[in-house]
């Protein structure tokens, strides 16, 4: 019986990721790390959660293993499974096991999407036991102090089917990453899309306007990510209004009136 | 035939009042209509002629176009409207009204002329909300203006053939009016206008200021024009796209202005300045203004100029022209500039101030510890009277945040230092977000938080624990006897009033009528789309893997098990995929507000939304029930049975939905508690309680204000504790602060546009359950 392990080296982050802190997220996360507490990142889509995790991993010089959760994600997908090749079976560690073994940071993106039974493995890892049971192998791993569990969650989705259970929430140190302040967001967009300040500033203003429509028609306003996308298209030579239409307007809604209104905001500003 | 017409006409209009050729022309115009219609028209002429002859001619001239739109039987109603417009605003207004038939009546034919406000409204309202970041209203009106709460726009815009260009004009007008609000045209920010003399509550300092000029209209118009120059500069910086797109429009406006060369004195200067501005905006720099006025205009254009600077500049300009001030003959203002309405703006400000005061006191009282209440024997009923002026008294202080980073963003995101704490008797109380915002709004208005706001709140908070307070608020009745009794939460004693309310179950008797069929007709397209969307939800997760038994083998699981066996493990037995027929194990109960305040649009929209929802849910197959609630006093809280969980959506149910009507008051606690009990017994994985309401809970007795809010909040928390997911959909013009507190523990949404409700409700349901 052979154990195959993915290469952990691939998960180290070589270059310093570009990240501008919104407030005290870095010191808080470092303090949580120092005390073996898991992290919950709350915030709307595209607000920098993944980017922050990369930055944190780089700062801590630990590998980052990210799992995007979906409704078919089972415990074996996290912990690992046996596979057969050439008549031989071998064990493959799942991402969670890999992270525990190597003292990496394991980041479960959109954790509420995962199947409910995954809590069985998340809970013991997220409290002071810090344990991962690999049932099939009869192994019980205790996470080294370098290991960190982080999950993300978007409270904006109001689906009752995707509510996070209290027993899960109350295990984590929760950090809220909302949309950055205008000045900061401007800098982010400038840097990420490689566009000039003035255009970045206009894009940020458009985003602020769409965020004002949240709950008044829109489910969510334009995220920083959308602004970066718009900027990238402009840099490729697409006309600014067209670029915003395809990246911002169409991403936000299908409602004709709202599409019209957002396009009007864009054409007012650009 | 002409003879009879002539005779009837002579009967209405005697010979002495009409010369022969006028009469002939009239008859000619009338003979194009068939006799019956002609008779109807004559009857209306008989009504209009005595009021005004010119109006009557205008009416006959417009009749043709009107009848393209109207049916014969609508004619009298139309004429009534014309006369009302005439009485209110003279011939001009009446003409405007007549040319606007389309907007006033549901028309058979759509004219091809301009863009109607009604058609532009939906998109424009979103636009205005987006740029202003708040719930600014828009409304059609005979003038362009704003009172800082609503933007008034023309009923129709027809500068261009192409309505998308006409929309741009609407957009320009709305943006300018918002620009005026944002640049504080009416000097509503505290300190914008400092005048000698004590400011009394309710006094409009701006109006008082302008009254001090010999020619008030001239001074006001000067100030307004300078503000327009300033706002133009602001918009060019903030909305360069808009201002660029509309350059041709500014040029168009310019050619339709009177030629200033034909004017003299102050009138010349005024019109010249307008031409200069339009030229400037249309990118035509050929108009030169020199001398003193040029300096004044240049100063107004400076970005840093404040409203106070402009008041000074206007006064300067006025002095410059004062020799001539009596010859001032006002010309119409620039279209996008609109009218200057300080009085209305002041009214809106006072309303906002009162509203903020009440909200602030309520919200602060809710967080103050009861102990901080002054030990007073004052009667609780009496609202403390505000001190005479808006002075900030000592005793209560607010400590601001360090000033926010100043920078170039300031113009668009004004960041005033925000109060964070309230110091009360040396105790520091941190303010939650919503209160901080309110406090900031109040400070901006009054320059500080009047201390009586804070003392009122602490008094209110004090009422909470002390059992000393008498009056009807405390136990004033016996527990009730009988069935269906519910407790009520009394926040003042932090306990329940036992068996306090009696709930009565009532039936709704179906009505026959056109409501349901016309709703189905009105939303036909959308219903089809809804059904499709909901059907898709149904099939989304039809298969689940890793089951003990099922319809097919789960290949992934099988391979895994095989590998497990090879590895010497006991394989899992969960190797099947199962087709789930009813995976969506959801039961939803809709509780609809039937209080009298829902009368009218809201009620109709609520019912329409129930129809749409039922259609959609029917295709989805989720179990659902619908109940209404209303009542009066604690002895008669009523719930109305519209549809039970087990009843299929039928003709009968449709009839009951149609029969829903506004009744009494909104006591929310008892129905929430009742249906929490009902839902708790329903066997489903997910149980939803969705409440549709139009505002605050309130009953005829003492179930009001804080008490009602706290009871409702508590009832919702109880529901949540019982494993039910409550969700509240509130229809209101803007998000109210109490909502955050009352519904904060649960999820909720508010809808500010009734028209959107019917489609939003199914959408919200979809969002909640997918
Ligand atoms: N504070 C920040 N510093 C640098 N870049 C940022 C920051 N916030 C957002 N971004 C930019 O926004 C983009 C989207 O952020 P990210 O992918 O981290 O979002 P997310 O919160 O993980 O979204 P989702 O919930 O959809 O996964 C990033 O690629 C980055 O360009
Ligand atoms: Mg992410």
């Amino acid at each position: 019986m052979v154990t195959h392990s993915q290469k952990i080296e691939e998960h180290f982050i070589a270059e310093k990721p570009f990240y501008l802190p919104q407030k005290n997220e870095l010191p808080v996360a470092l303090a949580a790390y120092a005390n073996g507490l898991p992290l919950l990142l709350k915030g709307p889509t595209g607000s920098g959660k993944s980017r922050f995790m990369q930055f944190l991993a780089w700062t801590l010089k630990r590998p980052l293993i990210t799992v995007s959760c979906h409704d078919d994600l089972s415990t074996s997908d996290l912990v690992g499974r046996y596979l057969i090749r050439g008549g031989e079976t071998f064990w493959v560690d799942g991402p969670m096991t890999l992270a525990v073994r190597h003292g990496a940071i394991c980041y479960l993106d959109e954790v509420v999407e995962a199947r409910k039974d995954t809590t069985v493995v998340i809970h013991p890892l997220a409290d002071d036991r810090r344990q991962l049971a690999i049932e099939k192998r009869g192994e019980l791993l205790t996470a080294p102090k370098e290991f960190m569990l982080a999950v993300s969650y978007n409270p904006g989705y109001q689906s009752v089917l995707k509510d996070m259970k209290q027993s899960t929430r109350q295990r984590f140190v929760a950090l809220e990453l909302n949309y950055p302040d205008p000045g900061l967001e401007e800098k982010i967009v400038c840097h990420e899309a490689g566009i000039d300040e003035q255009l970045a500033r206009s894009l940020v203003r458009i985003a602020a306007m769409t965020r004002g429509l949240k709950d008044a028609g829109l489910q969510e306003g334009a995220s920083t990510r959308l602004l970066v996308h718009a900027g990238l298209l402009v840099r490729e030579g697409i006309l600014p209004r067209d670029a915003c239409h395809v990246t911002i307007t169409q991403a936000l809604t299908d409602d004709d009136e709202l599409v019209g209104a957002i396009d009007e905001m864009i054409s007012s500003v650009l | 035939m002409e003879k009879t017409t002539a005779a009837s006409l002579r009967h209405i209009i005697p010979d002495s009042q009409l010369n022969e050729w006028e009469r002939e022309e009239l008859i000619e115009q009338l003979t194009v209509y068939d006799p019956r219609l002609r008779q109807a028209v004559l009857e209306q002429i008989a009504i209009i002629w005595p009021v005004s002859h010119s109006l009557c001619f205008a009416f006959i001239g417009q009749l043709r176009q009107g009848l393209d739109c109207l049916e014969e039987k609508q004619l009298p109603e139309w004429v009534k409207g014309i006369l009302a417009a005439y009485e209110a605003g003279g011939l001009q207004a009446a003409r405007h009204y007549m040319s606007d038939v389309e907007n006033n009546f549901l028309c058979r034919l759509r004219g091809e002329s301009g863009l109607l406000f009604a058609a532009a409204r939906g998109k424009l309202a979103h636009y205005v909300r987006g740029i202003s970041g708040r719930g600014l209203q828009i409304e059609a009106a005979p003038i362009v203006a704003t009172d800082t709460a609503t933007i008034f726009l023309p009923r129709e815009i027809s500068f261009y053939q192409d309505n998308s260009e006409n929309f741009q004009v609407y957009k320009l007008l709305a943006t300018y009016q918002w620009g005026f609000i944002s640049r504080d045209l009416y000097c509503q920010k505290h300190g914008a206008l400092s005048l000698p003399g004590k400011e009394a509550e309710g006094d409009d300092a701006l109006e008082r200021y302008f009254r001090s000029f010999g020619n008030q209209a001239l001074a006001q118009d000067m100030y307004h024009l300078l503000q327009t120059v300033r706002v133009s500069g602001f918009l060019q910086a903030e909305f360069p796209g808009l201002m660029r797109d509309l350059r041709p429009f500014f040029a168009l406006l310019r050619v339709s202005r009177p030629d200033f060369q034909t004017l003299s004195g102050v009138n010349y200067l005024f019109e010249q300045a307008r031409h200069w501005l339009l030229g400037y905006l249309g990118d035509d720099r050929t108009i030169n203004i020199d001398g003193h006025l040029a300096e004044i205009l240049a100063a107004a254009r400076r970005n840093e100029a404040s409203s106070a600077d402009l008041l000074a500049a206007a006064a300067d300009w006025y002095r410059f022209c004062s020799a001539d001030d009596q010859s001032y003959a006002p010309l119409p203002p620039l279209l996008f500039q609109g009218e200057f309405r300080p009085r209305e703006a002041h009214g809106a400000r006072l309303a906002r101030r009162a509203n903020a005061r009440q909200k602030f006191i309520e919200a602060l009282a809710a967080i103050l510890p009861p102990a901080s209440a002054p030990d007073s024997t004052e009667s609780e009923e009496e609202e403390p009277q505000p001190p005479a002026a808006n002075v900030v008294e000592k005793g209560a202080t607010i400590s601001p945040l360090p000033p926010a980073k100043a920078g170039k963003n300031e113009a668009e995101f004004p960041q005033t230092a925000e109060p964070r704490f309230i110091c009360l008797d040396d105790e520091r109380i941190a303010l939650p977000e919503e209160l901080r915002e309110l406090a900031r709004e109040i400070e901006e208005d009054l320059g500080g938080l009047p201390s009586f706001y804070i003392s009122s709140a602490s008094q209110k908070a004090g009422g909470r624990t002390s059992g000393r307070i008498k009056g009807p608020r405390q136990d004033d009745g016996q527990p009730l006897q009988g069935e269906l009794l519910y407790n009520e939460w009394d926040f003042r004693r932090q306990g329940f009033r036992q068996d306090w309310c009696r709930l009565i179950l009532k039936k709704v008797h179906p009505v026959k009528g056109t409501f349901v069929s016309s709703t189905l007709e009105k939303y036909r397209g959308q219903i089809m789309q809804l059904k499709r969307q909901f059907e898709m939800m149904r099939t989304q997760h039809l298969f689940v893997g890793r089951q003990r038994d099922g319809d097919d083998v789960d290949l992934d699981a099988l391979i895994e098990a095989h590998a497990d066996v090879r590895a010497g493990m006991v394989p899992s037995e969960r190797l099947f995929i199962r087709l789930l027929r009813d995976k969506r194990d959801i039961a939803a109960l809709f509780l609809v507000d039937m209080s009298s305040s829902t009368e009218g649009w809201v009620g109709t929209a609520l019912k329409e939304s129930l129809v749409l929802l039922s259609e959609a849910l029917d295709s989805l197959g989720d179990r659902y029930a619908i109940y209404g609630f209303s009542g009066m006093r604690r002895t008669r809280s009523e719930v109305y049975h519209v549809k039970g969980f087990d009843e299929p959506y039928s003709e009968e149910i449709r009839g009951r939905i149609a029969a829903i009507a506004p009744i009494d008051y909104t006591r929310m606690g008892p129905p929430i508690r009742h249906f929490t009990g009902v839902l708790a017994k329903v066997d489903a994985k997910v149980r939803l309680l969705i409440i549709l309401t139009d505002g605050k809970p309130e009953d005829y007795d003492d179930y009001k204000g804080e008490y009602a809010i706290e009871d409702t909040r508590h009832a919702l928390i109880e529901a949540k504790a019982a494993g039910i997911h409550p969700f509240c959909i509130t229809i209101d013009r803007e998000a109210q602060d109490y909502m955050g507190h009352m519904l904060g523990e649960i999820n909720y949404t508010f809808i500010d546009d009734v028209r959107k409700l019917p489609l939003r409700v199914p959408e919200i349901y979809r969002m909640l359950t997918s």
Side-chain angles (χ1 to χ4, degrees):
Chain A
M1 209 158 66
V2 201
T3 300
H4 276 235
S5 219
Q6 290 178 46
K7 290 211 185 70
I8 190 71
E9 292 74 31
E10 289 165 7
H11 295 281
F12 277 99
I13 291 160
E15 261 178 65
K16 179 178 181 181
F18 171 75
Y19 182 78
L20 299 179
Q22 295 190 7
K23 39 179 193 240
N24 61 351
E25 61 264 33
L26 190 62
V28 169
L30 292 178
Y33 183 78
N35 289 283
L37 300 176
L39 206 59
L40 164 66
L41 298 183
K42 288 208 267 188
T45 181
S47 60
K49 299 186 292 292
S50 299
R51 182 60 67 88
F52 174 67
M53 285 314 296
Q54 289 169 350
F55 184 66
L56 180 65
W58 180 85
T59 311
L60 292 168
K61 304 282 173 278
R62 298 310 309 162
L64 175 68
I65 299 175
T66 301
V67 184
S68 300
C69 300
H70 50 81
D71 50 12
D72 231 10
L73 188 93
S74 63
T75 43
S76 328
D77 294 322
L78 288 176
V79 176
R81 52 167 55 94
Y82 283 107
L83 294 179
I84 312 172
R85 189 186 295 150
E88 250 202 288
T89 60
F90 61 97
W91 171 260
V92 180
D93 279 344
M96 189 93 110
T97 309
L98 190 66
V100 171
R101 281 195 208 283
H102 293 93
I105 298 176
C106 182
Y107 175 47
L108 306 179
D109 210 349
E110 288 293 351
V111 70
V112 282
E113 297 282 348
R115 280 174 63 137
K116 295 281 168 284
D117 53 352
T118 52
T119 46
V120 178
V121 295
I122 295 173
H123 281 192
L125 254 188
D127 55 35
D128 54 4
R129 288 172 282 173
R130 287 171 64 85
Q131 281 174 341
L132 177 66
I134 310 175
E135 260 176 54
K136 287 188 181 163
R137 290 169 62 90
E139 251 185 286
L140 182 66
L141 302 180
T142 300
K145 67 178 197 323
E146 290 81 11
F147 169 81
M148 180 183 223
L149 178 66
V151 302
S152 78
Y153 163 63
N154 181 349
Y157 301 139
Q158 292 184 318
S159 172
V160 293
L161 305 181
K162 288 180 189 157
D163 237 3
M164 201 188 236
K165 281 207 297 207
Q166 281 294 325
S167 56
T168 308
R169 304 174 74 118
Q170 295 202 8
R171 286 176 151 79
F172 290 84
V173 171
L175 269 178
E176 189 177 7
L177 290 186
N178 228 310
Y179 304 119
D181 286 343
L184 187 68
E185 191 165 34
E186 208 177 297
K187 289 203 191 88
I188 295 170
V189 177
C190 252
H191 179 277
E192 289 285 293
I195 52 173
D196 62 56
E197 262 175 47
Q198 205 197 333
L199 178 60
R201 181 166 171 251
S202 302
L203 291 175
V204 169
R205 294 199 53 228
I206 292 168
M209 291 177 184
T210 65
R211 289 168 197 166
L213 292 177
K214 180 172 155 68
D215 292 337
L218 287 188
Q219 219 168 313
E220 241 168 67
S223 67
T224 312
R225 176 187 293 130
L226 292 187
L227 306 186
V228 172
H229 290 178
L232 288 171
L233 294 193
V234 175
R235 220 188 42 186
E236 282 301 311
I238 307 289
L239 292 175
R241 289 180 183 182
D242 294 346
C244 288
H245 175 77
V246 296
T247 54
I248 298 175
T249 313
Q250 293 293 355
L252 292 181
T253 178
D254 295 326
D255 178 297
D256 288 341
E257 261 180 12
L258 279 163
V259 164
I262 297 170
D263 278 344
E264 294 298 346
M265 294 171 200
I266 292 167
S267 68
S268 278
V269 174
L270 288 173
Chain B
M1 194 185 265
E2 271 183 44
K3 279 219 184 85
T4 52
T5 310
S8 317
L9 195 63
R10 183 155 287 120
H11 195 69
I12 300 165
I13 309 176
D15 275 341
S16 59
Q17 293 181 1
L18 205 62
N19 67 35
E20 205 44 46
W21 57 267
E22 278 175 328
R23 184 176 297 279
E24 261 164 33
E25 199 178 300
L26 262 184
I27 291 170
E28 201 173 302
Q29 278 175 309
L30 290 175
T31 44
V32 298
Y33 304 115
D34 71 63
R36 237 189 55 197
L37 188 53
R38 201 181 319 149
Q39 191 49 45
V41 170
L42 279 167
E43 279 167 25
Q44 298 308 318
I45 290 180
I47 296 170
I48 303 174
W49 183 259
V51 177
S52 155
H53 301 186
S54 344
L55 180 64
C56 194
F57 286 118
F59 167 72
I60 294 164
Q62 282 287 335
L63 191 57
R64 198 63 196 265
Q65 195 200 328
L67 285 170
D68 277 348
C69 230
L70 300 172
E71 303 200 24
E72 186 196 315
K73 62 175 193 288
Q74 290 176 302
L75 209 52
E77 204 183 325
W78 191 43
V79 169
K80 232 188 253 167
I82 295 171
L83 290 174
Y86 180 78
E87 273 152 24
L91 191 57
Q92 191 66 22
R95 269 188 210 279
H96 196 277
Y97 181 86
M98 282 190 273
S99 64
D100 210 16
V101 260
E102 255 194 291
N103 213 9
N104 301 313
F105 289 93
L106 230 39
C107 290
R108 278 181 292 163
L109 279 170
R110 198 155 256 296
E112 261 133 301
S113 58
L115 175 64
L116 293 172
F117 177 78
R121 174 183 207 134
K123 195 159 103 175
L124 205 57
H126 287 308
Y127 173 80
V128 168
R129 175 182 282 275
I131 62 167
S132 66
R134 62 185 178 105
L136 211 51
Q137 304 294 311
I138 56 174
E139 246 168 56
I143 54 154
V144 176
T146 179
D147 66 1
T148 70
T150 303
I151 290 177
F152 301 99
L153 297 166
R155 293 190 185 281
E156 183 182 358
I157 290 206
S158 49
F159 282 93
Y160 298 100
Q161 291 276 308
D162 181 357
N163 273 344
S164 66
E165 289 190 80
N166 286 325
F167 184 85
Q168 294 301 311
V169 177
Y170 263 127
K171 182 168 121 174
L172 180 79
L173 301 191
T175 312
Y176 254 95
Q177 293 306 311
W178 171 75
F180 282 125
I181 298 174
S182 129
R183 302 291 88 191
D184 199 18
L185 170 66
Y186 294 112
C187 302
Q188 298 192 337
K189 294 226 171 72
H190 182 79
L193 186 61
S194 48
L195 290 178
K198 205 168 156 80
E199 193 183 329
E201 171 93 3
D203 170 55
D204 181 6
L206 191 62
E207 238 198 317
R208 191 150 52 83
Y209 172 76
F210 282 118
R211 270 203 305 272
S212 69
F213 288 85
N215 186 340
Q216 182 182 347
L218 177 61
Q220 273 185 193
D221 287 355
M222 284 174 161
Y223 170 69
H224 194 199
L225 184 61
L226 292 183
Q227 279 283 13
T228 310
V229 171
R230 169 166 170 252
V231 167
S232 300
F234 168 69
L235 295 182
Q236 278 186 325
E238 297 296 321
F239 296 91
L242 173 72
M243 300 302 273
R244 195 174 60 235
D245 287 351
L246 280 130
R247 273 180 200 160
F249 179 67
F250 291 118
L252 182 74
L253 283 183
R254 211 189 123 199
V255 296
S256 57
R257 295 285 320 175
D259 183 0
F260 61 89
Q261 305 288 2
T262 62
L263 304 168
S264 65
V266 62
N267 296 320
Y268 170 89
L269 285 180
F270 237 95
E271 196 54 26
Q272 190 197 23
R274 290 198 186 103
H275 275 260
W276 166 81
L277 177 62
L278 288 173
Y280 173 77
L281 293 173
D283 208 24
D284 167 2
R285 307 283 156 101
T286 54
I287 307 139
N288 280 314
I289 292 189
D290 36 39
H292 193 53
L293 182 56
E295 277 165 39
I296 292 173
L297 290 175
R301 234 167 63 203
R302 278 201 348 256
N303 200 15
E304 323 82 80
S306 69
S307 289
D309 294 339
L310 291 199
L311 280 174
D316 184 17
W317 189 10
Y318 185 90
R319 267 193 305 280
F320 180 63
C321 302
S322 58
D324 200 22
D325 67 352
Q326 294 314 319
S327 68
Y328 176 55
L331 286 165
L334 298 167
L335 179 74
F336 48 86
Q337 171 185 15
E339 307 277 340
F340 187 64
R341 294 291 164 106
R343 182 165 306 158
E344 284 81 351
H346 187 65
R349 179 191 197 183
L350 291 182
R352 228 178 358 249
R353 182 180 294 171
N355 191 12
R357 173 169 57 214
Q358 194 200 337
K359 277 186 195 166
F360 181 85
I361 292 174
E362 266 176 29
L364 180 61
I367 62 158
L368 283 183
S372 71
D375 198 359
S376 77
T377 41
E378 269 175 70
S379 144
E380 229 231 305
E381 307 301 299
E382 235 170 83
E383 281 268 309
Q385 288 305 306
N390 303 317
V391 277
V392 183
E393 288 170 14
K394 288 178 207 77
T397 50
I398 297 208
S399 58
L401 286 171
K405 331 132 214 174
K408 54 180 182 291
N409 282 324
E410 247 192 346
E412 100 220 43
F413 302 102
Q415 296 178 317
T416 27
E418 213 174 62
R420 254 205 318 195
F421 297 102
I422 283 201
C423 292
L424 199 75
D425 303 337
D426 293 330
E427 208 183 327
R428 256 160 47 120
I429 296 158
L431 297 182
E433 181 68 32
E434 53 163 316
L435 254 172
R436 257 191 271 165
E437 214 158 87
L438 263 175
R440 208 198 49 215
E441 191 186 320
I442 294 167
E443 293 209 311
E444 220 176 77
D445 181 23
L446 298 175
L449 266 176
S451 65
F452 85 92
Y453 281 26
I454 298 169
S455 54
S456 306
S458 67
Q459 230 159 33
K460 221 175 176 154
R464 239 183 267 163
T465 39
S466 52
R468 289 174 290 124
I469 287 141
K470 312 169 284 297
R473 305 269 203 104
Q474 278 298 1
D475 294 9
D476 61 340
Q478 297 297 310
L480 301 168
Q481 304 287 316
E483 287 171 78
L484 292 179
L485 299 181
Y486 288 94
N487 298 345
E488 192 161 278
W489 179 254
D490 184 349
F491 74 100
R492 294 166 307 208
R493 56 163 129 151
Q494 292 288 302
F496 283 107
R497 289 170 146 181
Q498 294 294 327
D499 290 343
W500 195 248
C501 304
R502 176 184 289 124
L503 192 105
I504 299 164
L505 296 174
K506 290 201 153 183
K507 282 206 162 65
V508 177
H509 297 288
V511 295
K512 287 206 175 62
T514 56
F515 174 77
V516 172
S517 59
S518 62
T519 304
L520 293 176
E521 178 59 29
K522 183 169 162 194
Y523 294 98
R524 195 164 32 142
Q526 288 100 322
I527 288 176
M528 262 164 51
Q529 204 185 340
L530 275 177
K531 286 193 161 182
R532 233 187 352 259
Q533 286 171 343
F534 275 67
E535 263 159 26
M536 267 164 57
M537 287 164 69
R538 174 181 201 152
T539 50
Q540 235 164 29
H541 300 290
L542 223 47
F543 291 97
V544 283
R546 295 177 195 276
Q547 300 295 308
R548 276 182 214 286
D549 53 78
D551 314 280
D552 210 342
V553 172
D554 182 344
L555 216 52
D556 284 343
L558 187 65
I559 292 169
E560 214 175 295
H562 190 58
D564 287 350
V565 173
R566 286 293 194 90
M569 309 263 321
V570 185
S572 162
E573 289 165 12
R574 298 176 163 269
L575 300 177
F576 294 91
I577 288 181
R578 190 162 61 206
L579 181 70
L580 276 197
R581 262 169 248 292
D582 196 8
K583 187 187 173 203
R584 288 183 57 87
D585 193 7
I586 296 177
L589 193 145
F590 294 87
L591 191 53
V592 187
D593 189 343
M594 283 167 64
S595 63
S596 54
S597 57
T598 59
E599 177 120 41
W601 280 109
V602 175
T604 311
L606 278 172
K607 281 156 63 172
E608 284 181 356
S609 64
L610 291 178
V611 173
L612 263 59
L613 190 79
S614 302
E615 292 290 328
L617 284 179
D618 215 37
S619 68
L620 175 62
D622 281 1
R623 273 178 295 160
Y624 68 104
I626 301 172
Y627 290 88
F629 72 98
S630 184
M632 188 157 148
R633 299 181 193 270
R634 66 185 183 102
T635 48
R636 187 166 65 77
S637 190
E638 295 169 338
V639 296
Y640 295 84
H641 176 110
V642 180
K643 178 185 175 303
F645 279 112
D646 299 324
E647 284 173 287
Y649 178 54
S650 61
E651 232 9 85
E652 159 93 12
I653 304 286
R654 290 190 181 138
R656 289 190 211 155
I657 293 177
I660 291 178
I663 304 177
D664 293 327
Y665 292 86
T666 327
R667 197 182 198 102
M668 301 245 265
I672 294 173
R673 292 191 174 92
H674 175 71
F675 288 110
T676 297
V678 170
L679 269 168
K681 286 194 210 94
V682 174
D683 182 24
K685 219 158 103 195
V686 176
R687 290 176 293 237
L688 279 165
L689 175 62
I690 300 175
I691 302 160
L692 291 140
T693 161
D694 73 336
K696 273 194 197 186
E698 189 170 56
D699 201 350
Y700 180 77
D701 51 21
D702 59 334
Y703 197 83
K704 289 192 175 58
E706 213 175 345
Y707 181 90
I709 287 172
E710 293 296 330
D711 176 55
T712 306
R713 174 181 146 91
H714 206 273
L716 290 167
I717 295 174
E718 289 161 40
K720 211 173 160 185
I724 286 158
H725 296 277
F727 189 90
C728 193
I729 301 173
T730 305
I731 305 140
D732 212 323
R733 270 165 78 125
E734 54 178 308
Q736 303 288 346
D737 288 291
Y738 74 88
M739 285 184 202
H741 178 65
M742 186 171 91
L743 307 171
E745 295 293 320
I746 64 162
N747 287 330
Y748 70 98
T749 189
F750 88 96
I751 294 174
D752 62 347
D753 182 352
V754 189
R755 296 174 311 146
K756 293 276 161 66
L757 183 75
L759 285 167
R760 281 281 283 146
V761 172
E763 192 186 312
I764 289 167
Y765 183 81
R766 193 159 66 97
M767 222 172 64
L768 273 171
T769 64
S770 60

